Amino acid sequence: MQAKLSRASQIIEMTGIPSVPEELVLLQDELNKKYPNTVTIANLIARNPELLGDFLSLVNTNVTNEKTEIRDAKAAVNALGLNEIYNLFMASSLTQAIAQNSLEKEIMLHGAQAGLAAAELSYWVYDVSRSEAYMAALMQNTGSIFLSRLNPEDYAPFFKTHLSAPLSSLDQEEAEFQTTHMYLSILIAKKWNIAPELYKAILMHHDPDFIHKTANDSKVSHLTALIMASNYVVAIANDSQYLTQELKSYRDLGLKALNLPENAMKAAIAAVTKWGNSKGIAPGGH
């Protein structure tokens, strides 16, 4: 593992992780205070108009159950808990900061669609919030973006293989790069101060033995399982060519760790079908 992390760190240094935006740093500082000021929080979210637009779209399409559309930062702060606000603002910031070309936007869009599915499924998971589920699934393949920057044309097939063969595809990636996209993803997650439970789940999301390895941490187990189930949902919702028997087995592994009712997967598929290409979850333009 250490060798893979070291190689991932080398690749990150070569390709460069974008810095955490100032607004996000200041937001975290405010939230860490004993008595966070909601007016200050709303003003920080509203500082960058483009980022605010993406954030509000994300709130309206993915998380809130409000009947009326949330149109400004103050309304979002009033409607959602502070942890939800931070996770969603981070997700918006991360998406806007990273994706630069068509392949990178494709990778982030898949993660955003999986995030939407995971958020929907989290309704039935007692220890995972909607924003945590969204963030874990969104972040799962961010490392692929930085691997792709070594050679975009050569990396594209690796990403497509992950979608269709999520349990057996890593050996080829590791042989090529001496690491995998999960190790890069967790380095990115750590730099952006994402909660440890989320990056542990990201590290596990291609591991068929994840249930055994997370037996003492139900939240990591559930986050990992949500990522796995949501990837299947995205393939179904997109009528995907990647809908293989291996992907179905991968789905079943995830569902084994979750106690979902029969209608849960249908609800997630419907959510991705309805909202999966909306501005709120799409990568920011560059």
Side-chain angles (χ1 to χ4, degrees), residues 50 54 92 95-100 105 108 279 281-286:
E50 185 178 358
D54 287 349
S92 299
T95 300
Q96 188 181 87
I98 287 182
Q100 297 180 356
K105 290 179 180 180
M108 287 302 290
K279 185 179 185 296
I281 72 160
H286 286 269

Side-chain angles (χ1 to χ4, degrees), residues 101-120:
N101 59 40
S102 59
L103 174 59
E104 295 178 10
K105 290 179 180 180
E106 179 185 351
I107 292 169
M108 287 302 290
L109 178 59
H110 176 273
Q113 289 178 330
L116 177 54
E120 190 70 22

Side-chain angles (χ1 to χ4, degrees), residues 8-43:
S9 182
Q10 291 175 356
I11 294 171
I12 288 293
E13 289 179 9
M14 292 167 60
T15 55
I17 303 176
S19 298
V20 179
E22 182 185 18
E23 293 90 348
L24 193 58
V25 175
L26 294 173
L27 179 60
Q28 186 174 49
D29 288 345
E30 184 63 32
L31 290 171
N32 285 337
K33 293 179 180 178
K34 187 174 182 179
Y35 300 108
N37 187 310
T38 56
V39 174
T40 301
I41 290 169
N43 288 339

Side-chain angles (χ1 to χ4, degrees), residues 40 45 77 81 98 109 146 158 170 225 228 239 242 254 264 278:
T40 301
I45 291 171
V77 171
I98 287 182
L109 178 59
F146 295 88
F158 284 104
L170 290 181
M228 297 168 80
D239 194 22
Y242 306 118
S278 65

